[in-house]
Amino acid sequence: PAGFATCALVGSSGVLSLERLGERIDAAEFVMRFNLNQVGGFEPIVGSITTLRLLDTYGDRDFLGLTGIEVLEGHTARPMRLDLSHLYASPRDLSALGHMGDPRTLDKVVDGSNVTDEDHHMWLVPFTPGTDHLLTIDLGKVHELVGLRVYNYNKNEEGASRGVRNVAIRLDEGA
């Protein structure tokens, strides 16, 4: 995709097993996986990071945001403890527009305050239709994931249009 210095396209070819490219794949700014290939047990070969593509908003032409995200694991579907070190986003926050000091930064997605209308618990980025808006969650190793809970941007009635309307999510099978 445009705007990324490195991109990894990972398929299911047996040729992948000839080299251990997992670290190199995970180091790419954008990772796209095809064919629902199993990752569990093959991390040294294919890596373990998947990127979420935030496609559009509920109508705001300038901004896109979330209040929280939870990754659910195990048979009890308990939320994993995530922090900023697990996240990468492009664009990262409003500093991409030169707005320094705005409280709506990426760390708010995992601060645990998911049902709120307060700015200091929300993440907001510039939105440009037709360009990539990405959120990557790197769990560091394979986990048994059973769900993803997303809390949309909900500052007020006008701000609700900044919420994510559609997202392309690819969860790796296996583990």
Side-chain angles (χ1 to χ4, degrees):
F4 296 93
T6 57
C7 176
L9 302 175
V10 184
S12 57
S13 170
V15 173
L16 283 171
S17 64
L18 299 176
E19 297 189 44
R20 295 178 141 353
L21 299 174
E23 288 183 24
R24 186 171 173 194
I25 291 168
D26 284 348
E29 289 183 37
F30 182 85
V31 178
M32 186 177 294
R33 299 181 187 281
F34 296 93
N35 302 330
L36 297 175
N37 43 331
Q38 181 174 340
V39 172
F42 298 95
E43 297 89 343
I45 298 169
V46 299
S48 61
I49 298 173
T50 300
T51 303
L52 287 68
R53 183 184 300 255
L54 309 175
L55 301 173
D56 59 6
T57 70
Y58 275 99
D60 193 297
R61 295 180 182 174
D62 300 310
F63 300 100
L64 176 143
L66 292 174
T67 300
I69 191 165
E70 293 177 333
V71 176
L72 309 176
E73 71 173 335
H75 66 280
T76 61
R78 69 184 174 280
M80 295 181 67
R81 293 185 56 89
L82 299 175
D83 60 43
L84 186 57
S85 69
H86 294 104
L87 304 177
Y88 167 80
S90 177
R92 187 168 178 85
D93 54 39
L94 293 179
S95 65
L97 295 175
H99 297 285
M100 301 305 184
D102 190 280
R104 295 168 291 185
T105 52
L106 182 58
D107 58 311
K108 305 314 188 296
V109 173
V110 291
D111 74 358
S113 295
N114 299 323
V115 181
T116 183
D117 59 3
E118 298 176 18
D119 277 351
H120 63 275
H121 291 296
M122 296 184 190
W123 173 56
L124 192 67
V125 298
F127 177 72
T128 306
T131 63
D132 288 321
H133 305 84
L134 306 171
L135 176 61
T136 299
I137 303 170
D138 179 358
L139 301 176
K141 63 179 184 175
V142 172
H143 291 263
E144 180 186 349
L145 303 182
V146 295
L148 182 67
R149 190 175 293 144
V150 178
Y151 297 87
N152 237 337
Y153 193 92
N154 191 32
K155 181 178 176 181
N156 52 34
E157 189 174 322
E158 178 185 339
S161 67
R162 294 177 173 172
V164 176
R165 183 174 182 188
N166 291 297
V167 61
I169 301 173
R170 162 89 172 51
L171 296 176
D172 297 314
E173 65 180 13

